[in-house]
Amino acid sequence: KELLSFLDSSPTPFHAVESLKIRLLKAGFKELQEHEKWSIQPGLKYFVVRGGTSLAAWVQGIKPPSDSGFRLIGAHTDSPNLRIKPQPNLIQHGYHQLGVEVYGGALLSSWADRDLSLAGKVYVKSKSGKIKGHLLHHQEPLLRIPLLAIHLNRDVNEKGLILNAQNHLPPIYGLKTQNESKQGIHQLLSELLKVRKEDILSFELSLFDIQPASALGKNHEFVVSGRLDNLYSCYCALCALLMDSETESPQTRIAVCFDHEEIGSMTTQGARSSFVSSIFKRLNQIDSHSFERSCALSMMISADMAHAVHPNFSEKHEPQHFPQMNAGPVIKINAQGRYATSGISEALFDQICREREIPVQKFVNRTDLACGSTIGPFISGSLGVSTVDVGAAMLSMHSVREMGGTLDIDWLTQAFRGFYTRQDLE
Ligand code: ZN
């Protein structure tokens, strides 16, 4: 239930970070700002946000990181979706519509015929001239991308649905009435946020499906929602960090939830940015090579979702590797380095699961199919930190409504706890 409410309250990475912040503050974590001086005390709990959409939370170890290393779990806050263009207003054949761009590898057809709404951040000029960011989470059905009737697209079932991203995606949100002078996105936002439309400077808004997350199946064995990839992993990582946050440990345990994984991570707050390395440096003494020594002693779990075998398309999977939902975390392995898992990191994670009696699965892609990737390779490569790519098995990845396993929430969280509290890495 907690995961479902986290998913519902997090239609965008801005909201996900806000939801995480509330839980961290409740648990006694102190918020730090990147522009301030930090004075870090062993055993205390901190978090820092970058760009409003990436967050790092940690429990400082009793020993300095250069003597005991970091235990890092990385996940991502963003999910593929449709973003509103800067000048989106369209009136076509009497319909009010909004121009949209595709963010990440969205499964476009899944966005059609859903009841959608708007969420994100709107930047508004205040009276003093300062810029204020307003969070928007409009919870009423507002927009829709209607499918073309089958009578006008007779062979759609045989040939498949083809959607042109420019022409076929602009959602409808109203009908033009006569004598209408003031319409469009600025008018809409000014009404929703109670601000003057002339003061709206910019916005980062995306569409989301308003249907709430829910449990599904004869025994509620599935969880269905938008953004399971990868809020599911963010949630499990944070739970694992919070559950043992009162227990002292020599190593510094840290969870980082990055934005922009779905578009390649090369942004101010993405996994290829300085976010993690700058935190690692600041948590070390400024003596000779303490940062490098801490990295050499560290280990990371790159937590992202995995593809469960689809019963109707099992030929898409490697026949010796059929990950199942509710059958425990999946270790993801790729010979081309699309996942960061190495022999030793795989062995260590497998061992952590065995010790806690958590079932564990292994995944490789079919050899003749290109493999997806995660934040694992970037961070592992740039910091030199041994990394294992792990995730819960799911179906419908990158659909507007995805499907995961209910039991895996606990399996994954318990495995993360085992990782955080383990003293020796070998
Ligand atoms: Zn993902």
Side-chain angles (χ1 to χ4, degrees):
K1 276 185 186 157
E2 251 182 39
L3 172 63
L4 299 185
S5 90
F6 173 55
L7 289 160
D8 288 336
S9 63
S10 309
T12 74
F14 291 110
H15 297 86
V17 162
E18 284 305 310
S19 315
L20 295 171
K21 270 175 76 168
I22 292 169
R23 297 200 64 194
L24 288 164
L25 289 168
K26 247 192 204 164
F29 281 68
K30 180 174 188 258
E31 181 167 11
L32 302 173
Q33 304 292 337
E34 281 196 290
H35 66 268
E36 288 173 356
K37 275 193 176 174
W38 294 359
S39 85
I40 302 290
Q41 303 298 319
L44 295 192
K45 307 179 278 190
Y46 304 93
F47 71 95
V48 63
V49 172
R50 186 184 276 194
T53 57
S54 292
L55 175 144
W58 68 93
V59 183
Q60 187 72 23
I62 298 303
K63 282 192 181 175
S66 51
D67 292 338
S68 56
F70 294 94
R71 299 286 179 276
L72 166 65
I73 300 177
H76 65 91
T77 56
D78 63 322
S79 307
N81 60 31
L82 302 177
R83 297 271 162 121
I84 306 299
K85 289 179 177 173
Q87 295 172 176
N89 301 327
L90 292 172
I91 298 178
Q92 304 191 100
H93 303 286
Y95 293 101
H96 281 292
Q97 292 177 269
L98 293 175
V100 289
E101 282 190 289
V102 180
Y103 176 90
L107 199 50
L108 296 180
S109 57
S110 69
W111 286 81
D113 287 354
R114 309 286 311 186
D115 302 342
L116 306 171
S117 194
L118 273 183
K121 205 164 195 178
V122 181
Y123 298 90
V124 181
K125 180 171 75 72
S126 69
K127 273 193 185 136
S128 66
K130 276 203 165 173
I131 297 168
K132 191 168 180 258
H134 293 253
L135 274 186
L136 175 70
H137 182 183
H138 185 58
Q139 302 192 31
E140 301 287 317
L142 178 69
L143 312 105
R144 183 176 164 97
I145 305 167
L147 275 180
L148 187 59
I150 194 162
H151 316 77
L152 307 180
N153 195 9
R154 287 282 182 190
D155 49 12
V156 64
N157 288 338
E158 291 71 44
K159 295 198 170 157
L161 179 66
I162 295 171
L163 293 174
N164 176 284
Q166 172 66 26
N167 300 329
H168 300 152
L169 294 182
I172 289 171
Y173 72 97
L175 283 171
K176 186 175 166 10
T177 52
Q178 276 184 342
N179 308 324
E180 199 174 63
S181 57
K182 43 171 194 176
Q183 268 297 335
I185 188 79
H186 288 78
Q187 179 66 27
L188 191 65
L189 295 176
S190 92
E191 285 166 17
L192 295 177
L193 292 169
K194 312 267 179 292
V195 296
R196 297 195 322 157
K197 72 175 182 178
E198 307 78 67
D199 293 338
I200 297 172
L201 300 166
S202 67
F203 43 76
E204 290 174 66
L205 294 170
S206 51
L207 304 185
F208 71 97
D209 179 5
I210 61 148
Q211 186 177 357
S214 56
L216 178 144
K218 68 179 170 59
N219 296 315
H220 289 171
E221 53 269 75
F222 306 115
V223 42
V224 285
S225 169
R227 306 172 298 284
L228 287 180
D229 174 13
N230 193 16
L231 294 181
Y232 191 110
S233 308
C234 291
Y235 175 81
C236 294
L238 198 83
C239 286
L241 185 69
L242 292 180
M243 279 174 180
D244 299 304
S245 66
E246 296 301 320
T247 318
E248 285 188 350
S249 124
Q251 61 269 7
T252 297
R253 290 160 279 165
I254 175 165
V256 189
C257 300
F258 296 96
D259 196 3
H260 299 141
E261 190 272 345
E262 301 290 0
I263 54 166
S265 297
M266 192 64 213
T267 62
T268 320
Q269 64 263 44
R272 293 165 101 158
S273 75
S274 58
F275 192 40
V276 167
S277 61
S278 101
I279 294 170
F280 276 22
K281 283 175 189 160
R282 295 178 77 159
L283 300 186
N284 269 297
Q285 316 296 331
I286 324 162
D287 66 13
S288 56
H289 302 138
S290 60
F291 166 67
E292 289 80 359
R293 285 165 55 212
S294 72
C295 288
L297 287 169
S298 295
M299 185 171 167
M300 163 163 156
I301 291 178
S302 162
D304 208 338
M305 303 301 276
H307 298 292
V309 60
H310 193 308
N312 304 343
F313 297 92
S314 60
E315 72 281 3
K316 294 288 180 190
H317 270 259
E318 207 298 311
Q320 296 291 106
H321 301 82
F322 285 142
Q324 307 273 342
M325 284 185 270
N326 293 337
V330 182
I331 304 177
K332 298 184 274 182
I333 298 152
N334 180 253
Q336 307 293 335
R338 304 281 293 162
Y339 300 130
T341 309
S342 65
I344 184 67
S345 64
E346 175 190 344
L348 187 79
F349 188 81
D350 195 315
Q351 175 64 7
I352 288 169
C353 290
R354 283 179 194 209
E355 284 167 1
R356 297 205 161 211
E357 294 179 4
I358 298 165
V360 65
Q361 314 182 72
K362 296 189 182 177
F363 172 80
V364 289
N365 231 33
R366 278 185 68 95
T367 319
D368 53 6
L369 241 152
C371 185
S373 193
T374 66
I375 59 167
F378 306 137
I379 297 178
S380 165
S382 61
L383 296 181
V385 168
S386 172
T387 298
V388 58
D389 261 291
V390 169
M394 69 176 292
L395 291 173
S396 311
M397 194 182 284
H398 289 195
S399 164
V400 74
R401 199 160 173 86
E402 302 171 323
M403 179 174 184
T406 314
L407 293 180
D408 287 327
I409 304 166
D410 195 48
W411 291 130
L412 197 62
T413 305
Q414 294 309 327
F416 289 171
R417 289 180 77 187
F419 167 74
Y420 272 143
T421 50
R422 194 182 168 90
Q423 304 294 316
D424 309 314
L425 287 179
E426 284 178 39

